[in-house]
Amino acid sequence: MYQAPRGTSDILPGEQVYWRYVEQQAVAICQLYGYERIDLPAFEDTRLFSRSIGEETDIVQKEMYTFEDKGGNRLTLRPEGTASVCRAFLEHGMHNLPGPVRLYYIAPVFRYERPQAGRYRQHHQFGYEAIGDDDPALDAEVIDMAWQFLVSLGLSRLSLHLNSIGCKECRPGYMAALKDYYAGHISDLCPDCRARLQRSPLRLLDCKKPPCQQLADSAPASSDYLCLPCQAHFSSLKGYLELLGLAFVMDHRLVRGLDYYTRTVFEVQPEVDGAQSTLGGGGRYDNLIGELGGKPTPALGFAAGMERIVLNLKRQGIAVPPLPRPRVFIAYAGDEARGEAIKLGATLRQAGIGVIQASGGKTLKAQLRQANALDVRYAVIIGEEEARTGTVVLRDMATSQQKSVPRSQLQQLLAEPAA
Ligand code: AMP
């Protein structure tokens, strides 16, 4: 027997109600804020990701699904969405559009991680990007949209974490301060952090190992090292968030796991029994489009993990709206009735009434058992008598009451919610 590969899962019909709900709310929020959908290839040139996400990051070093195709091209299954959006932005000359260009995607993402609850090798992200403006009001919009999206789902007990990690001008000063700080604690660091201290000191702040976390708590804060323009940007952003009534927690350890971020970074975290597992995060990446060969274009974005959202909807016991499904099951007895049942099914569907048709040689009793399992509102039964007289038996599945009805009246009866 084959099984789904480790770290992947099937989203079975019974789960779809959550997924369609999250997707629907995502699309609705994008329409509300004027973000347009973009669909991107599942794989890209490997260099696009190593260049943008950063050679020193866990994603590029350990987690990418990279392969060579039969043409000798090195390709990677997308480990995140932003790089592809930026590639498409450049490839299709979207910089000629009046900015900011607002785009969103919903797509599977692939990372070779150690699978555990809320962490998979294939997960799905809803993400969006606003490209072409460095106005802190746009940062506030992107953050507000993330928050409103999660709240619109019915989620509560969330917290918004915020930080600014500066720009090309002020980052080097901050990195030097971090290296200085950690130089006195090298023996307390985990081997990974020891190795990345010189090349990538920011990564040490989000290491999950307890001793490194303790050290990170007392490390210098990036917000204390911002240059004047970054300070001004951050303080305007905080002003806008206040204006919008969005409470946030300043989190100086928040740096995000990708190298392309500049200035604003943020995450939304759920508080469930003290456990923290980020629902989504994002930030500014003002240099990324320039680094990918475009003219310098400030931008920012956000991405949320759909699996974690579904997990939290369940944990918080949020009732999601049911998916539309047929309310009618057509059962039959006898060959003549079978033809009539097929014709009736087609007529009802043409009138927009969803119908599940019985099939095979099951007894009427077995067909009704199936109707019961399908949780339909009505069974429409055609036997030999009904086939001859142009009638049907309409059975209310909840009350088991049955009545004989002329076929000509059926459509009207089924269309009425309480028939
Ligand atoms: P990132 O692209 O790492 O900023 O991730 C954005 C969001 O995707 C996170 O906040 C998570 O909700 C989700 N996510 C990231 N990695 C995984 C994973 N391996 N499995 C499930 N969800 C993930």
Side-chain angles (χ1 to χ4, degrees):
M1 283 284 277
Y2 293 108
Q3 290 188 334
R6 196 163 129 75
T8 70
S9 41
D10 303 310
I11 306 170
L12 297 172
E15 289 284 295
Q16 292 289 340
V17 66
Y18 288 100
W19 285 78
R20 299 288 75 82
Y21 174 61
V22 176
E23 205 170 278
Q24 201 179 24
Q25 295 302 111
V27 171
I29 208 85
C30 287
Q31 282 168 355
L32 209 56
Y33 285 73
Y35 285 67
E36 293 183 293
R37 181 159 183 146
I38 185 164
D39 287 298
L40 303 149
F43 53 83
E44 301 264 5
D45 188 315
T46 300
R47 287 166 298 187
L48 173 68
F49 298 122
S50 46
R51 192 80 200 273
S52 54
I53 297 167
E55 295 284 359
E56 294 299 320
T57 59
D58 279 353
I59 294 182
V60 171
Q61 292 213 330
K62 305 180 194 162
E63 297 172 3
M64 296 210 300
Y65 280 91
T66 296
F67 60 98
E68 196 176 291
D69 72 6
K70 294 195 189 326
N73 306 298
R74 264 180 92 67
L75 299 167
T76 295
L77 295 182
R78 117 183 99 220
E80 60 104 52
T82 303
S84 301
V85 174
C86 292
R87 194 263 311 136
F89 175 90
L90 288 171
E91 185 171 338
H92 302 287
M94 289 189 228
H95 50 271
N96 296 319
L97 297 170
V101 173
R102 293 175 165 90
L103 300 167
Y104 81 92
Y105 57 87
I106 299 173
V109 165
F110 308 88
R111 295 182 190 173
Y112 187 79
E113 300 206 69
R114 204 162 56 80
Q116 49 194 290
R119 189 166 292 283
Y120 312 103
R121 291 187 175 166
Q122 173 177 310
H123 72 280
H124 296 75
Q125 289 193 356
F126 158 50
Y128 54 86
E129 318 288 340
I131 306 175
D133 208 328
D134 66 358
D135 186 346
L138 195 60
D139 303 44
E141 173 184 296
V142 165
I143 295 173
D144 178 48
M145 187 167 151
W147 187 259
Q148 300 307 335
F149 162 61
L150 295 166
V151 167
S152 80
L153 290 166
L155 292 170
S156 57
R157 286 171 285 142
L158 304 176
S159 58
L160 171 61
H161 292 240
L162 185 69
N163 195 13
S164 173
I165 54 172
C167 66
K168 272 187 181 153
E169 299 303 316
C170 49
R171 182 86 58 82
Y174 176 54
M175 304 268 250
L178 269 184
K179 284 182 193 168
D180 262 7
Y181 167 78
Y182 278 112
H185 302 280
I186 289 184
S187 56
D188 300 324
L189 289 170
C190 75
D192 275 352
C193 282
R194 237 173 276 160
R196 50 192 172 195
L197 173 58
Q198 283 315 314
R199 280 187 300 182
S200 200
L202 274 188
R203 293 276 73 78
L204 275 60
L205 295 175
D206 64 0
C207 176
K208 300 291 175 280
K209 307 252 166 50
C212 299
Q213 291 207 337
Q214 239 175 7
L215 282 176
D217 279 337
S218 321
S222 56
S223 52
D224 292 335
Y225 290 80
L226 299 179
C227 60
L228 287 175
C230 284
Q231 273 177 36
H233 186 276
F234 197 40
S235 101
S236 300
L237 166 61
K238 289 190 280 190
Y240 291 133
L241 293 179
E242 242 164 71
L243 216 79
L244 289 165
L246 287 180
F248 56 86
V249 181
M250 263 304 294
D251 183 348
H252 85 265
R253 283 183 42 195
L254 179 60
V255 290
R256 317 267 304 128
L258 302 88
D259 275 357
Y260 51 60
Y261 287 112
T262 51
R263 291 189 164 170
T264 312
V265 286
F266 71 102
E267 284 185 354
V268 184
Q269 295 176 354
E271 290 161 20
V272 187
D273 306 328
Q276 301 271 315
S277 63
T278 307
L279 285 177
R284 234 178 214 288
Y285 47 89
D286 288 344
N287 306 321
L288 178 55
I289 292 188
E291 278 162 14
L292 293 177
K295 74 173 196 289
T297 308
L300 83 159
F302 169 80
M306 308 271 280
E307 281 79 358
R308 293 206 191 155
I309 291 175
V310 169
L311 201 72
N312 279 275
L313 287 174
K314 290 181 182 171
R315 274 187 189 157
Q316 296 195 8
I318 291 165
V320 297
L323 289 174
R325 48 204 296 257
R327 298 161 72 227
V328 179
F329 183 90
I330 300 186
Y332 60 85
D335 280 344
E336 200 184 330
R338 182 205 301 255
E340 294 298 317
I342 290 171
K343 268 200 298 189
L344 179 62
T347 309
L348 291 177
R349 288 190 191 107
Q350 259 165 19
I353 298 171
V355 168
I356 299 174
Q357 187 96 54
S359 60
K362 290 193 195 93
T363 62
L364 195 53
K365 201 165 156 205
Q367 292 178 46
L368 290 178
R369 224 180 299 128
Q370 192 191 358
N372 207 30
L374 288 166
D375 205 19
V376 291
R377 179 91 169 76
Y378 301 106
V380 169
I381 306 162
I382 306 184
E384 279 171 30
E385 163 85 13
E386 287 76 24
R388 238 183 307 111
T389 55
T391 57
V392 300
V393 170
L394 182 61
R395 180 187 175 93
D396 185 317
M397 295 301 289
T399 62
S400 300
Q401 280 183 348
Q402 300 194 164
K403 58 182 173 188
S404 177
V405 172
R407 235 169 279 172
S408 56
Q409 283 179 21
L410 189 60
Q411 216 163 294
Q412 199 189 349
L413 283 171
L414 294 176
E416 286 167 15

